[in-house]
Amino acid sequence: MNVSEEIKRLHELHLAGALSDAEFAQAKAKLLSNINLDKPDSPSDSGPANDLVQEFNRLRRSRNDRWLGGVCGGLGRASGMEAWIWRLVFVLFTLTFGFGVVIYLLLWIFVPDEEIGITKHEY
């Protein structure tokens, strides 16, 4: 149910006498405060595909857990699995299919490093 349908339902309950003026105003304010105004309500903004895109956008190469480029450490942090499992997956893909190294190199090139967390001071 989208926001406009929720407000319409609240208004109908208010007109029917099930909600007082104060309850209606409070419920409407609560409903409107939960809206993310940056994103419009659309079917393309929900679902597993959007979750996957958001997870990929948050993917960063690790600065602490790295052997070569930090790809496996970043994948481990993003997926919740240990980094050694990702390293094993890349080795197995390289030995069996031959393209594990290519995928690793592409991720090393296109996935950015995680932020250091140190701010620059202006003088």
Side-chain angles (χ1 to χ4, degrees):
M1 189 177 281
N2 63 22
V3 176
S4 62
E5 291 172 349
E6 287 283 336
I7 291 176
K8 183 178 177 182
R9 187 177 62 83
L10 285 174
H11 183 66
E12 290 170 354
L13 288 171
H14 177 64
L15 290 177
L19 293 175
S20 68
D21 291 337
E23 290 171 333
F24 174 70
Q26 183 181 12
K28 184 177 173 184
K30 184 177 179 180
L31 182 66
L32 293 176
S33 70
N34 290 335
I35 297 175
N36 186 355
L37 297 177
D38 295 336
K39 292 184 179 179
D41 248 1
S42 68
S44 64
D45 284 346
S46 62
N50 188 44
D51 293 341
L52 181 63
V53 170
Q54 287 177 352
E55 287 296 321
F56 186 74
N57 286 336
R58 289 190 301 185
L59 179 62
R60 299 287 184 260
R61 290 184 291 125
S62 175
R63 288 186 168 270
N64 301 328
D65 188 9
R66 67 169 44 186
W67 283 7
L68 291 175
V71 173
C72 293
L75 286 170
R77 181 173 294 143
S79 67
M81 292 181 358
E82 295 289 328
W84 68 266
I85 296 173
W86 284 105
R87 290 181 183 107
L88 182 65
V89 166
F90 280 111
V91 167
L92 290 176
F93 268 73
T94 300
L95 294 176
T96 56
F97 303 114
F99 61 83
V101 172
V102 174
I103 294 172
Y104 188 90
L105 289 174
L106 288 173
L107 287 171
W108 192 352
I109 292 169
F110 291 110
V111 173
D113 254 350
E114 67 184 359
E115 300 296 322
I116 296 174
I118 300 173
T119 60
K120 294 181 181 178
H121 298 285
E122 294 184 26
Y123 297 100

